[in-house]
Amino acid sequence: DCRSEVYSLGCMVFEILTGAAPLRGRDAMETMLKKVRDKPPLMGSIAKDTKFSDELEAVVQHCLERDPDKRYQSVAELGQAWKQFESSKN
């Protein structure tokens, strides 16, 4: 359902900002296992020379929740969270 789109958007944002996928193994099987077992790292732990706000980290981590019920339930809900993040920067 649309929660997989939320996850995909979270992956894209993570990779755009860090240059690395949130969870990547040596092959497809290891990548799938990481997605099932591991929690995605914070972006700041990957791109150590970049400081990401706690709010941005939280939005991306919420997108990347393993359990779809714990993610944003729609792209519209993610959009609202993104707008709140944007307004908090001002």
Side-chain angles (χ1 to χ4, degrees):
D1 61 22
C2 65
R3 296 172 300 181
S4 65
E5 300 300 325
V6 169
Y7 183 86
S8 295
L9 284 168
C11 288
M12 287 180 5
V13 170
F14 189 102
E15 192 160 355
I16 287 168
L17 295 177
T18 67
L23 296 167
R24 179 171 287 159
R26 291 172 290 191
D27 55 35
M29 181 58 79
E30 188 175 270
T31 298
M32 285 189 332
L33 287 172
K34 282 181 171 285
K35 289 182 179 182
V36 171
R37 291 187 313 218
D38 300 344
K39 182 176 176 167
L42 293 174
M43 294 184 298
S45 70
I46 301 297
K48 296 184 187 307
D49 59 336
T50 305
K51 172 66 175 131
F52 299 103
S53 71
D54 292 341
E55 294 83 5
L56 178 58
E57 290 275 16
V59 169
V60 173
Q61 286 291 309
H62 198 81
C63 290
L64 298 176
E65 283 285 345
R66 273 179 288 191
D67 181 350
D69 291 335
K70 293 182 180 176
R71 289 182 207 143
Y72 297 108
Q73 296 301 292
S74 67
V75 174
E77 188 178 335
L78 169 57
Q80 287 299 319
W82 193 265
K83 285 179 187 174
Q84 287 177 340
F85 160 69
E86 284 292 316
S87 66
S88 74
K89 294 185 335 182
N90 298 329

